[in-house]
Amino acid sequence: MKREVELVVISDVHLGTYGCRSEELLRYLSSINPKKLILNGDIIDIWQFRKSYFPESHLRVLKYILDLAYQGCEVTYITGNHDEMLRKFGKMQFGHITLTNRLLLDLDGKKSWIFHGDVFDASIQHTKWLAKLGGWGYDRLIQLNNVVNWVLTKFGREKYSLSKQIKNSVKKAIKFISDFEETASHLAIENKYDYVICGHIHQPQIRRIDTKKGSCIYMNSGDWIENLTSLEYNQGVWEMFSYDEKKDVLLDYPAEAMQFRSNLEELLENIIKGTL
C-alpha cells in the first residue's frame, strides 16, 4: 500500500552524475502517493550533463515524476544552480507541472517560502567556474566513496562518508552551513514567513530559529546523493524522511517507472539525448 502524503519536498537529486541514487529515489517515490511534489532545485545536473552518461534509471525518475503529474499530482519544479539553464524560462505551467524560481505556499494558514538557496552562496554568484569545478570534484569523491563503501561492506564494516568527514573537519564548511541557515531564517522572519525551506547545501535539517523580531522553522530537504532524505508534510506537521531508516520496507517497492501514458515521453528522451 502506498502512503498518502499531502506534500513532499525533494532537492539535489543530480540526475546525470555518478553520485545520483536514482534506484533508491524510485523506490521511495513508488511507496508514496503525494498530492503535491516540490522539486527544490538541482534535480537534473545540467552543469555536468554529458551524453555518455545518463543511465536508464535516471530517465525513469523523470518519467515517474511526469506520470505522477499526469495522474493529478501537483508538481512544482524550482530551479537551482545546477539546473539554472531553466531559469531563463521564468515561470511556466503546463498541465499539473509548474516551473518557477521560488514558491510561496499557504499551508493550513501558515506561510511557506520555498527556494533552492544558491542565492546565498557567494562562490556561485561571483566565481561560477570555481563552483563548477567543485561540483566535478564532489562527483569524483562520491565515486571514490562508493568503491570504499563496497570494500567496507564486503568486510562487514559500516559505510563511511568521505564528504561528511571533510565537511565536519573543516571549520569554514561548518560556518558556511550555519551562516546559510541563519541568513535564510532571518530573511524569512523579516518577511513574516512561518517556514523557510531550502536545499543546496545537502544538509537535512528541521529546526526552530528565534530572533528579536520573531521566529520561524528552517528546513532543508537534504539530498539524494548521500543523505537520501526528503521533507514530508501531513496534517500540519513536517517530518524528515530518511531512506536509510526505512530501506528494509522500501526494498519491497520496485525501482521502476509506472507505465508512461503521455506523449511527453518522446520529447523528454529527445531532450536528454540531445537530439533536438
Side-chain angles (χ1 to χ4, degrees):
M1 294 290 293
K2 293 188 177 185
R3 287 189 299 115
E4 297 290 333
V5 186
E6 292 180 36
L7 173 64
V8 173
V9 182
I10 294 172
S11 70
D12 300 273
V13 176
H14 293 274
L15 294 169
T17 66
Y18 291 102
C20 175
R21 303 287 289 275
S22 54
E23 298 286 346
E24 289 86 347
L25 179 56
L26 279 165
R27 286 195 175 92
Y28 169 60
L29 291 174
S30 297
S31 73
I32 59 175
N33 186 24
K35 292 181 180 178
K36 293 182 180 180
L37 174 62
I38 297 175
L39 307 172
N40 197 10
D42 288 1
I43 304 304
I44 305 173
D45 198 320
I46 297 177
W47 275 7
Q48 300 185 66
F49 179 78
R50 60 186 73 84
K51 293 182 181 179
S52 60
Y53 187 79
F54 204 93
E56 176 63 24
S57 62
H58 292 207
L59 186 60
R60 291 205 309 269
V61 170
L62 295 177
K63 289 180 178 180
Y64 197 100
I65 291 170
L66 287 172
D67 207 33
L68 282 175
Y70 182 81
Q71 293 192 359
C73 175
E74 295 180 29
V75 177
T76 302
Y77 192 127
I78 300 174
T79 53
N81 52 296
H82 283 255
D83 44 22
E84 64 179 352
M85 186 181 295
L86 300 175
R87 285 178 174 166
K88 65 182 179 181
F89 297 109
K91 186 171 183 178
M92 296 178 59
Q93 186 164 359
F94 38 100
H96 290 285
I97 301 176
T98 301
L99 175 69
T100 186
N101 297 329
R102 63 169 186 160
L103 179 64
L104 301 178
L105 202 60
D106 184 284
L107 295 172
D108 298 319
K110 294 186 177 182
K111 295 193 295 183
S112 301
W113 181 28
I114 309 173
F115 61 104
H116 184 61
D118 57 292
V119 66
F120 299 139
D121 194 335
S123 67
I124 291 174
Q125 301 301 321
H126 303 294
T127 53
K128 189 174 293 185
W129 68 270
L130 185 60
K132 289 184 177 181
L133 180 62
W136 178 87
Y138 179 74
D139 201 30
R140 302 289 83 74
L141 180 64
I142 293 299
Q143 282 184 278
L144 174 61
N145 206 161
N146 289 338
V147 174
V148 170
N149 283 334
W150 181 84
V151 174
L152 289 174
T153 302
K154 288 294 182 181
F155 284 94
R157 303 283 295 277
E158 291 186 3
K159 291 183 178 180
Y160 184 82
S161 174
L162 294 173
S163 67
K164 284 184 180 179
Q165 185 63 31
I166 292 171
K167 289 177 184 177
N168 292 337
S169 62
V170 179
K171 290 183 179 179
K172 285 187 177 181
I174 297 173
K175 186 177 185 301
F176 171 76
I177 291 171
S178 177
D179 289 348
F180 180 95
E181 295 176 351
E182 294 291 332
T183 300
S185 301
H186 287 189
L187 284 173
I189 291 170
E190 287 181 8
N191 289 281
K192 309 298 182 184
Y193 295 120
D194 300 288
Y195 306 120
V196 56
I197 304 169
C198 302
H200 186 57
I201 59 174
H202 295 205
Q203 195 77 12
Q205 183 68 266
I206 299 179
R207 72 183 180 105
R208 179 187 179 93
I209 293 183
D210 296 286
T211 70
K212 294 179 179 180
K213 294 183 179 181
S215 64
C216 77
I217 304 297
Y218 165 84
M219 288 176 277
N220 194 296
S221 48
D223 65 277
W224 283 84
I225 300 289
E226 296 176 272
N227 295 294
L228 311 186
T229 53
S230 67
L231 290 166
E232 296 184 353
Y233 179 84
N234 277 304
Q235 299 179 343
V237 177
W238 282 98
E239 292 184 345
M240 184 71 67
F241 175 89
S242 170
Y243 180 90
D244 287 335
E245 294 177 2
K246 305 288 186 180
K247 60 183 177 182
D248 291 339
V249 175
L250 292 179
L251 287 176
D252 294 334
Y253 291 88
E256 299 175 357
M258 292 181 285
Q259 183 181 357
F260 199 65
R261 295 177 297 276
S262 169
N263 58 9
L264 285 173
E265 181 178 28
E266 183 178 354
L267 174 62
L268 175 62
E269 290 180 342
N270 285 336
I271 292 173
I272 297 302
K273 294 177 181 178
T275 59
L276 288 181

